[in-house]
């Protein structure tokens, strides 16, 4: 028996405004829908996720891994129903039903609802109302309402699969949520603690609130790298992946790409994962003469494997010659390709050292780099 989640995302988000429905709008670096889906993908107990999309949107989110697609209906309840029907006869024992618009959902709330389904056929997160409640008309308070026993309902709402499927099949009308459907079929629904952060993006101002919540959870890291290579015999240098004809060459095992080495160390630095020498010991014949892109690619992959996106990198080359300016753009493009980043997030610049010191005397080239890594 397996555990499934249905994420309903077929609404048009009319109250939220914007040039497209709210689930497709950008939020803290990715789309609203990506935040919501990723939160469920990260919960290993969930075997299958049905994403219910508007018929016009089916091309906008390709099915992948444990995510499959279903077509939504005219109402939220119809969209849920379509998701449930897609899971019928598939051996699903428990199902979570969630609004795509609750993009700040956290793994612990998802797990709490799942756990509670071991003892309940239905359970849902909610917050007790703490503000005083009024009724109002024409801009005036027309009465007060006892808040005792009132809750603000959230999702994901969790159910025994067969019970909620049967409840939806027999329900008539336009329910507020799936708890209403479950109760109409006679199910007891346990109330579990929700969180203030699990807001439903509904109005334009909710994007900023959600963005603050998600950014507050981000892990942002910066690393720096520094490298030097000495000039020797040769007819070219390789800097940031670009071969530049020159009357000398840079010494060092491998291609002596001082810029790429500094950048590689910056990424390792942000991850607190040592430096190139630790991962590719110069004493190991396997790495003697290895091209520098192998090192940079290794560092970038290590960042990705740990869940980090590279946000931007900045490399400074320090030399009197060769002149870097004319090559800066191809250098940015070469680095961008290796670390799979847009070129406008990759900076390469250069400075002389006013003929002072070893770089000023033309004895070698130095490079500094920084890298910023973000884990959402
Ligand atoms: N939903 C759906 N199918 C519909 C209507 C709504 O799947 N026919 C989904 C929405 O995508 C959302 C959830 O139900 O995730 C809750 O609905 P709501 O917050 O009202 O979103 P929208 O209907 O998109 O927004 P609005 O009412 O402002 O148009
Ligand atoms: Mg709606």
């Amino acid at each position: 028996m397996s555990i499934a989640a249905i994420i309903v995302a077929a609404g048009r988000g009319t109250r939220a405004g914007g040039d497209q429905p709210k689930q497709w709008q950008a939020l803290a670096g990715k789309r609203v829908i990506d935040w919501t889906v990723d939160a469920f993908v990260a919960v290993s107990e969930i075997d299958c996720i049905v994403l219910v999309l508007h018929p016009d949107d089916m091309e906008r989110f390709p099915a992948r891994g444990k995510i499959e697609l279903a077509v939504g209906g005219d109402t939220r309840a119809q969209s849920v129903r379509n998701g449930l029907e897609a899971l019928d006869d598939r051996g699903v024992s428990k199902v979570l039903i969630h609004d795509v618009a609750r993009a700040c959902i956290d793994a612990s709330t998802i797990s709490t609802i799942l756990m509670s389904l071991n003892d309940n056929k239905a359970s849902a997160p909610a917050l007790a109302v703490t503000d005083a409640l009024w009724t109002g008309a024409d801009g005036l308070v027309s009465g007060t309402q006892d808040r005792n026993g009132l809750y603000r309902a959230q999702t994901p709402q969790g159910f025994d699969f067969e019970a909620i499927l049967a409840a939806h099949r027999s329900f008539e009308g336009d329910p507020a949520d799936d708890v209403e459907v479950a109760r109409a079929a006679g199910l007891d629904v346990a109330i579990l603690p929700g969180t203030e952060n699990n807001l439903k993006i509904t109005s334009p101002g909710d994007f900023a609130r959600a963005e603050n919540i998600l950014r507050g959870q981000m892990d942002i890291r910066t690393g720096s790298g520094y490298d030097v290579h000495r000039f020797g015999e040769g007819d070219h240098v390789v800097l940031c992946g670009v071969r530049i004809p020159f009357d000398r060459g840079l010494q060092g095992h491998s291609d002596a790409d001082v810029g790429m080495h500094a950048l590689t160390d910056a990424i390792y630095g942000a991850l607190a994962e040592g430096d190139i020498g630790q991962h590719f010991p110069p004493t190991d014949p396997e790495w003697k003469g290895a091209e520098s892109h192998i090192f940079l690619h290794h560092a970038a992959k290590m960042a990705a494997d740990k869940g980090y996106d590279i946000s931007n990198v900045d490399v400074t080359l320090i030399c009197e010659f060769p002149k870097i300016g004319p090559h800066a753009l191809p250098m940015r493009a070469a680095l961008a390709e290796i670390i799979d980043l847009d070129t406008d997030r990759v900076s390469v610049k250069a400075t002389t050292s006013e003929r002072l010191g070893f770089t000023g005397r033309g004895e070698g080239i130095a490079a500094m780099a920084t890298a910023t890594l973000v884990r959402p």
Side-chain angles (χ1 to χ4, degrees):
M1 295 298 263
S2 62
I3 296 175
I6 295 172
I7 300 173
V8 283
R12 294 295 78 186
T14 45
R15 285 169 291 175
D19 56 357
Q20 52 185 337
K22 57 190 177 185
Q23 59 270 39
W24 304 108
Q25 293 188 36
L27 178 70
K30 48 189 187 184
R31 301 173 302 185
V32 169
I33 194 168
D34 298 317
W35 284 103
T36 312
V37 170
D38 288 352
F40 281 82
V41 168
V43 177
S44 58
E45 294 97 316
I46 297 174
D47 304 294
C48 169
I49 298 168
V50 177
L51 187 56
V52 185
L53 298 179
H54 190 276
D56 294 348
D57 295 343
M58 301 308 291
E59 306 296 319
R60 300 188 75 173
F61 200 111
R64 61 176 152 91
K66 55 184 172 183
I67 306 164
E68 53 188 85
L69 306 182
V71 184
D74 289 340
T75 62
R76 182 188 181 282
Q78 189 59 54
S79 294
V80 172
R81 172 87 185 267
N82 292 359
L84 289 167
E85 296 292 353
L87 289 167
D88 192 18
D89 290 330
R90 302 254 306 263
V92 174
S93 56
K94 300 170 189 163
V95 64
L96 299 177
I97 302 173
H98 186 69
D99 293 335
V100 73
R102 292 187 192 271
C104 304
I105 182 64
D106 58 296
S108 124
T109 302
I110 297 173
S111 297
T112 303
I113 300 296
L114 265 184
M115 288 282 288
S116 81
L117 291 177
N118 293 331
D119 307 315
N120 302 286
K121 287 207 157 190
S123 64
L127 291 169
V129 172
T130 52
D131 294 324
L133 292 179
W134 303 329
T135 53
D138 302 326
L140 293 175
V141 177
S142 58
T144 52
Q145 166 82 46
D146 184 7
R147 68 180 168 231
N148 199 20
L150 290 183
Y151 288 86
R152 290 152 54 201
Q154 299 187 332
T155 69
Q157 300 178 347
F159 305 94
D160 173 88
F161 178 76
E162 293 300 337
I164 193 69
L165 176 60
H168 263 276
R169 282 177 176 167
S170 61
F171 191 89
E172 282 173 25
D174 184 20
D177 61 7
D178 305 294
V179 164
E180 184 177 340
V181 176
R183 292 193 68 254
L187 290 174
D188 284 335
V189 182
I191 303 175
L192 278 106
T195 66
E196 286 292 347
N197 280 355
N198 186 18
L199 79 159
K200 181 162 75 76
I201 297 172
T202 304
S203 311
D206 293 335
F207 286 95
R209 282 175 64 206
E211 179 122 3
N212 283 342
I213 291 165
L214 294 168
R215 294 235 183 251
Q217 297 165 352
M218 275 183 181
D219 183 8
I220 301 175
R221 293 165 165 237
T222 302
S224 68
Y226 177 75
D227 195 25
V228 173
H229 281 273
R230 179 193 292 274
F231 277 124
E233 302 266 295
D235 61 2
H236 72 277
V237 293
V238 179
L239 293 172
C240 297
V242 173
R243 184 189 162 102
I244 304 172
F246 195 55
D247 57 8
R248 282 170 290 170
L250 287 173
Q251 292 181 341
H253 77 295
S254 85
D255 50 21
D257 189 335
V258 62
M260 209 179 280
H261 294 174
L263 176 55
T264 304
D265 273 354
I267 297 172
Y268 288 137
L271 297 170
E273 279 287 354
D275 56 19
I276 297 180
Q278 185 178 315
H279 297 283
F280 301 94
T283 47
D284 185 337
E286 190 182 349
W287 306 121
K288 197 165 167 53
E291 290 186 49
S292 299
H293 65 82
I294 294 172
F295 311 153
L296 181 56
H297 188 260
H298 178 266
K301 181 165 185 307
M302 184 175 252
D305 289 347
K306 288 171 177 269
Y308 289 92
D309 296 327
I310 300 175
S311 174
N312 74 298
V313 300
D314 182 20
V315 180
T316 303
L317 297 165
I318 305 162
C319 58
E320 308 291 324
F321 294 103
K323 287 291 167 211
I324 303 302
H327 305 286
L329 198 54
M331 288 177 178
R332 292 171 58 201
L335 296 176
E337 182 164 350
I338 298 166
I339 58 180
D340 193 18
L341 208 60
D342 290 341
T343 312
D344 67 359
R345 290 176 180 272
V346 178
S347 157
V348 174
K349 58 198 194 308
T351 182
T352 70
S353 41
E354 298 282 334
R355 304 219 188 101
L356 297 171
F358 70 88
T359 51
R361 291 189 297 273
E363 294 165 12
I365 298 183
M368 306 191 310
T370 56
T372 303
L373 272 48
V374 178
R375 185 164 61 188

